[in-house]
């Protein structure tokens, strides 16, 4: 029996009952629970097998609700919220005392965003509490961008995936924190740095720390397929060096023929990086299901969402 359903009221009941539901967002599917229910939050960590040092993102449906969650909003955070919410930008801000420590991994900051998905916005309006929701994948696996991906991972451990179709952006949110009221980029994501800098000017990037990371999306190994994965500058040379292997290939726009290519994923025939980002994880899920010897991706252009795609592929190769 499927756990996929479009019934929002059923999701409301499950969440009111302190259990978890997988929800659609425009970035990736999330595994959601009431931020104030210890039972629900514990279950999120259990189902994901996520270490407790990894904090969760809190999801709201109006900017007004920020007052309930955070104690201080720097002027540049307000500008970013006005510019990008609802949308794929997560802000890390000083938390209020009522936010449970398990949500924030004991930090004095909390990560928040308003997702841009009609189904989840409607769900949030029907609830009397915000939802904590990390991505709905087991720790270190590829994030889900449709309901079937979630069902595949969690059909034996959760009651319901609320179906909202394919995720439009298909990459996790961009995460921005603040030091002395100035924005710092903690995680590359679905909103390009260039777009953020258009609103608040040049920002500092700190997404490469590996010990006690500011944002755990920064752990070197993350988002990984089970099949050994490579990110290369020269794809043809790589294919020539591995003639006896069955290889799955990911490219931006150009088709390629070689005997050892068993499957090729072209992410955007017109070379559009936003379209490519939205298709990346589905391509990885498909290739990972084909029992290949290796997956290889040609490095993407190093600007806009190409940077975020390269970041995820680099972590997939560790
Ligand atoms: P996920 O949705 O699985 O990517 O998980 C949520 C992500 O939000 C984590 O991996 C962290 O990168 C980030 N995050 C959540 N809370 C905080 C916080 N207080 N400080 C920094 N990053 C956070
Ligand atoms: Mg995740």
């Amino acid at each position: 029996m499927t756990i996929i359903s479009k019934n929002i009221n059923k999701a409301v009941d499950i969440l009111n009952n302190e259990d978890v539901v997988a929800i659609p967002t425009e970035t990736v599917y999330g595994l959601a629970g009431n931020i104030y229910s210890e039972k629900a939050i514990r279950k999120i960590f259990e189902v994901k097998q996520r270490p407790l040092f990894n904090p969760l993102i809190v999801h709201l449906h109006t900017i007004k609700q920020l007052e309930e969650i955070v104690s201080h909003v720097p002027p540049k955070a307000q500008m970013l919220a006005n510019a990008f919410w609802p949308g794929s930008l997560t802000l890390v801000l000083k938390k209020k005392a009522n936010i449970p420590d398990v949500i924030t991994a004991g930090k004095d900051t909390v990560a928040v965003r308003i997702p841009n998905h009609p189904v989840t916005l409607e769900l949030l309006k029907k609830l009397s509490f915000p939802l904590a929701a990390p991505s709905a994948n087991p720790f270190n696996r590829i994030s889900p961008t449709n309901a079937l991906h979630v069902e595949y991972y969690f059909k034996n451990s959760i009651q319901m995936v609320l179906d909202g179709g394919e995720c439009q952006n298909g990459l996790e949110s961009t995460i921005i924190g603040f030091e002395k009221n100035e924005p710092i980029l903690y995680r590359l994501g679905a909103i390009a740095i260039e777009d953020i800098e258009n609103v608040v000017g040049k920002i500092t990037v700190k997404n490469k720390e590996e010990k006690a990371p500011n944002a755990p999306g920064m752990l070197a190994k993350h988002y990984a397929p089970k099949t050994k994965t490579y990110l290369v500058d020269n794809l043809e040379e790589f294919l020539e060096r591995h003639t006896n292997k069955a290889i799955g290939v990911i490219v931006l726009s150009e088709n390629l023929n070689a005997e050892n290519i068993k499957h090729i994923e072209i992410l955007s025939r017109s070379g559009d990086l936003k379209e490519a980002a939205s298709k990346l994880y589905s391509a990885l899920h498909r290739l990972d299901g084909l029992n290949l010897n290796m997956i290889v991706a040609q490095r993407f252009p190093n600007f806009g969402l190409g940077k975020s795609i390269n970041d995820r592929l680099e972590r997939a190769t560790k």
Side-chain angles (χ1 to χ4, degrees):
M1 211 190 65
T2 181
I3 57 168
I4 299 173
S5 160
K6 290 192 187 314
N7 187 340
I8 296 185
N9 289 329
K10 185 176 161 196
V12 170
D13 287 344
I14 296 172
L15 290 163
N16 279 333
N17 218 3
E18 297 190 71
D19 205 339
V20 302
V21 172
I23 58 166
T25 83
E26 83 285 17
T27 60
V28 302
Y29 274 70
L31 185 61
N34 175 354
I35 64 165
Y36 301 117
S37 161
E38 196 187 316
K39 187 174 159 211
I41 301 308
R42 274 188 191 290
K43 180 149 178 192
I44 291 175
F45 280 96
E46 243 172 63
V47 168
K48 276 186 64 88
Q49 294 173 296
R50 183 182 178 101
L52 284 162
F53 64 75
N54 250 7
L56 309 179
I57 296 175
V58 172
H59 292 69
L60 313 174
H61 65 91
T62 64
I63 292 194
K64 185 95 184 73
Q65 284 175 296
L66 255 191
E67 294 165 16
E68 177 189 332
I69 308 290
V70 311
S71 59
H72 171 63
V73 182
K76 287 186 180 174
Q78 191 64 52
M79 287 162 70
L80 289 168
N82 294 343
F84 294 108
W85 284 356
S88 308
L89 176 74
T90 296
L91 297 175
V92 175
L93 301 169
K94 284 272 174 290
K95 73 163 197 154
K96 279 207 165 146
N98 57 319
I99 304 302
D101 277 342
V102 290
I103 301 284
T104 64
K107 289 166 176 278
D108 63 353
T109 53
V110 61
V112 288
R113 79 177 188 105
I114 302 180
N116 189 16
H117 194 293
V119 171
T120 286
L121 286 172
E122 194 180 332
L123 172 68
L124 285 163
K125 274 183 209 150
K126 289 177 181 242
L127 297 168
S128 61
F129 44 81
L131 290 174
S135 53
N137 52 306
F139 185 60
N140 275 346
R141 299 285 298 280
I142 308 164
S143 293
T145 54
N146 62 40
L148 283 170
H149 293 154
V150 184
E151 185 173 63
Y152 167 77
Y153 284 139
F154 293 145
K155 61 178 169 302
N156 297 321
S157 47
I158 67 174
Q159 291 186 59
M160 177 177 173
V161 183
L162 180 58
D163 190 3
E166 290 282 330
C167 300
Q168 284 202 336
N169 292 349
L171 278 188
E172 292 81 356
S173 57
T174 300
I175 302 183
I176 306 268
F178 292 83
E179 288 173 19
K180 302 202 172 86
N181 286 336
E182 286 303 311
I184 314 276
L185 183 119
Y186 289 157
R187 177 172 81 181
L188 290 161
I191 294 183
I193 304 191
E194 291 90 333
D195 292 340
I196 287 167
E197 291 186 334
N198 276 338
V199 176
V200 289
K202 202 91 196 124
I203 59 174
T204 309
V205 176
K206 277 200 190 172
N207 75 328
K208 289 267 147 66
E209 274 171 51
E210 287 169 23
K211 277 187 203 155
N214 281 320
M218 296 154 57
L219 288 171
K221 178 181 156 65
H222 207 76
Y223 317 107
K226 281 176 289 176
T227 314
K228 182 82 182 125
T229 300
Y230 300 83
L231 175 62
V232 300
D233 292 304
N234 188 337
L235 185 54
E236 269 146 32
E237 186 253 358
F238 181 93
L239 291 167
E240 277 164 25
R241 261 194 296 127
H242 298 95
T243 43
N244 57 345
K245 296 282 201 275
I247 303 179
V249 170
I250 297 181
V251 292
L252 174 57
S253 57
E254 263 165 58
N255 205 353
L256 202 78
N257 278 314
E259 197 128 315
N260 47 355
I261 299 181
K262 299 302 166 207
H263 189 90
I264 183 160
E265 294 280 346
I266 300 170
L267 298 189
S268 169
R269 290 194 183 266
S270 64
D272 175 20
L273 291 170
K274 189 163 164 61
E275 183 188 9
S278 75
K279 295 191 171 156
L280 175 67
Y281 288 153
S282 267
L284 283 171
H285 278 284
R286 258 193 307 281
L287 290 173
D288 206 21
L290 294 178
N291 277 320
L292 301 166
N293 299 126
M294 44 178 71
I295 296 172
V296 59
Q298 165 93 60
R299 191 177 295 281
F300 282 68
N302 200 33
F303 57 83
L305 293 183
K307 270 193 181 164
S308 304
I309 295 173
N310 286 333
D311 173 84
R312 296 304 188 271
L313 285 168
E314 254 157 35
R315 293 173 207 272
T317 63
K318 296 284 157 60

